[in-house]
Amino acid sequence: MQQHNPTSGRINVDPDNAEQGLAQLVLTVVELLRQIVERHAMRRVEGGTLTDEQVENLGVALMNLEEKMEELKDVFGLDAEDLNIDLGPLGNLL
């Protein structure tokens, strides 16, 4: 597993660790999209536009996606903080 980097919040661009940096970038984008989808789903659930079955299916799909993200973070030795990249003056991504 990768040790926690004191420059956390930045994508690792070291050529010797390109795979790790690419995994970090891809998982960051996937996590951002997962959060957007989850927020949209919650708005639909709260808006009452889904059937009970759709709500159940949506909940299961979101839980499965979150579980898969945890597995992938473990595989690449990343944690949630590693996916929250620093965008400089814009602040943190997540």
Side-chain angles (χ1 to χ4, degrees):
M1 285 212 169
Q2 172 188 358
Q3 291 186 350
H4 187 52
N5 187 342
T7 60
S8 183
R10 296 184 181 196
I11 298 295
N12 182 359
V13 292
D14 179 1
D16 295 332
N17 296 316
E19 180 180 290
Q20 183 75 18
L22 181 59
Q24 183 181 7
L25 178 60
V26 169
L27 290 178
T28 298
V29 171
V30 171
E31 177 61 17
L32 177 62
L33 292 172
R34 186 194 68 77
Q35 288 184 17
I36 290 169
V37 168
E38 187 175 271
R39 288 183 191 127
H40 180 71
M42 290 306 299
R43 281 195 298 272
R44 294 215 36 214
V45 168
E46 291 168 356
T49 60
L50 301 175
T51 67
D52 288 344
E53 183 179 354
Q54 289 173 320
V55 169
E56 178 70 23
N57 290 340
L58 188 55
V60 169
L62 289 172
M63 285 190 319
N64 289 341
L65 180 55
E66 188 171 359
E67 186 177 300
K68 186 53 75 176
M69 280 295 295
E70 290 302 317
E71 288 175 24
L72 289 170
K73 285 190 286 188
D74 285 345
V75 166
F76 290 101
L78 300 169
D79 60 27
E81 188 176 310
D82 293 322
L83 303 186
N84 193 9
I85 61 173
D86 182 1
L87 298 175
L90 297 176
N92 291 331
L93 180 63
L94 304 174

